[in-house]
Amino acid sequence: MGVFETDGNDASGHEQVVFCQDRVSGLKAIIGIYSTALGPALGGTRFYPYESEEAALADVLKLSRGMAYKNALAGLDLGGGKAVIWGDPATTKSEALLRAYGRFVETLRGRYYTACDVGTYVPDMDVIARETRYVTGRSVEHGGAGDSSVLTAWGVYQGMRAAAEHTWGSPTLTGRTVGIAGLGKVGKYLVGHLVEDGATVVATDVSPAALEWASTTYPEVNLVPDNQALIASDLDVYAPCALGGALNDDTVPLLRAKVVTGAANNQLAHPGIGKLLDDRGILYTPDYVVNAGGVIQVADEIEGFNFDRAKLRATGIFETTRRILQLAGDEGVPPAVAADRLAERRMAEVGRLRSIYLN
Ligand SMILES: NC(=O)c1ccc[n+]([C@@H]2O[C@H](COP(=O)([O-])OP(=O)(O)OC[C@H]3O[C@@H](n4cnc5c(N)ncnc54)[C@H](O)[C@@H]3O)[C@@H](O)[C@H]2O)c1
């Protein structure tokens, strides 16, 4: 794929793509800036052993575009960007490589803010921050927001409340049965919110340690052997909180839940799955809308992190999900399409204001 090519859905294309190399440390990075219509581009750095340069480029183009939509719907004054470092983090990550990367981020003078993603962690952001101001997701000791899964789970819960209101008339999970696939960083916090709200929780995880945690901390949670058993359970809500692609041609026909709301990124295995869910009368709240609490948390760091302010913004995911479900109904389209339309509208309408000259 060429940088100037588009994928057919993509009317505008990326604003800027930057290739960064430091031979001595072994750094090979690509920073993709999809849009700065709403402000500096924010998105994490994925450190991954791609099989080719083309695969790394394709991923950064896809991920940076996704961040523009996510940040727009999260109500942030931030555009969308993302970066990939091509290599195996287990063998190639070093202080020198991360600092070299930080210096490249700095050269963009704030057009791009980085953060954690697959293969990069809070301590890595602290190292990168030694070379650039344009990094979020640092540790609390370094003025950062710390673990973003706290507000990710809170936002997912808010999205689920909006879906419950849309489906059953009341914004609560009291008396509902919610199935969580994945009791990791986000899933664990989500269990707490649901139990507190009076829901019955059924859950699964492939990790024995996660299951052990659940049975000790929340003995009332019903644990089932695997995801297959979970989706076949008598659920009101299914919450994919593990890996992407949870909703696919095999799982959707078996799903008994009326609502799908979860933290996992890229839950739909392919775009046709949105229609399949719609045809089966299953309400799907788009993943990038309801899991935006994490980006809201790290974005807040740019202003000087304030947990209460960030939580208030993440609570806004309730209202955003509501608007999307309303728009989907009004326009007769699946919620995923309505969400994209709303994001594009905000990028166009608010982004246009930059044409008003300020001196
Ligand atoms: N952490 C965040 O702030 C954040 C923000 C936005 C989106 N997300 C997305 O939410 C999802 C969960 O994130 P996390 O931070 O909790 O990750 P995590 O790695 O801490 O937890 C994932 C959990 O899923 C389990 N798992 C893996 N495969 C499974 C399977 N087939 N069936 C059941 N369980 C399985 C793992 O054992 C693990 O406990 C990911 O898709 C992530 O990209 C996370």
Side-chain angles (χ1 to χ4, degrees), residues 4-14 34 61 65 69 344:
F4 295 113
E5 288 169 22
T6 64
D7 64 6
N9 297 314
D10 189 349
S12 53
H14 287 70
Y34 178 75
L61 295 180
R65 182 178 190 274
Y69 281 68
E344 283 158 9

Side-chain angles (χ1 to χ4, degrees), residues 19 22 46 73 93 95 117 127 137 142 150 188 192 204 206 226 239 247 254 271 288 298 347:
F19 286 72
D22 176 52
R46 183 162 295 193
L73 275 187
K93 196 189 283 181
E95 179 191 343
D117 193 67
V127 175
H142 285 88
V150 176
K188 283 178 179 169
T204 191
V206 289
D226 54 29
L247 301 167
L254 303 176
Y288 77 83
V298 298
M347 281 190 264

Side-chain angles (χ1 to χ4, degrees), residues 38 69-78 292 296 313 320 346:
L38 294 176
Y69 281 68
K70 184 180 219 172
N71 293 342
L73 275 187
L76 299 171
D77 291 333
L78 292 165
I296 289 172
R313 281 191 182 140
T320 307
R346 181 161 183 258

Side-chain angles (χ1 to χ4, degrees), residues 27 29 31 43-47 83-85 93-107 112-117 119-139 142 301:
L27 174 76
I31 300 171
T45 298
R46 183 162 295 193
F47 203 138
V84 296
I85 297 178
K93 196 189 283 181
S94 66
E95 179 191 343
L97 180 146
L98 290 172
R99 292 182 72 155
Y101 173 63
R103 291 182 80 83
F104 281 109
V105 171
E106 182 67 21
T107 64
Y112 168 68
Y113 276 85
T114 197
C116 301
D117 193 67
T120 56
Y121 303 90
V122 169
D124 299 331
M125 296 306 122
D126 287 342
V127 175
I128 291 169
R130 289 161 76 176
E131 302 294 343
T132 181
R133 292 158 281 177
Y134 307 114
V135 51
T136 62
R138 294 163 300 159
S139 63
H142 285 88
E301 204 177 307

Side-chain angles (χ1 to χ4, degrees), residues 121 147-150 152-153 182-190 205 241:
Y121 303 90
D147 178 8
S148 64
S149 43
V150 176
T152 301
L183 295 166
K185 294 187 290 295
V186 179
K188 283 178 179 169
Y189 287 113
L190 185 58
D205 198 293
C241 294

Side-chain angles (χ1 to χ4, degrees), residues 162-174:
E165 180 187 62
H166 191 86
T167 309
W168 298 294
S170 180
T172 172
L173 280 306
T174 309

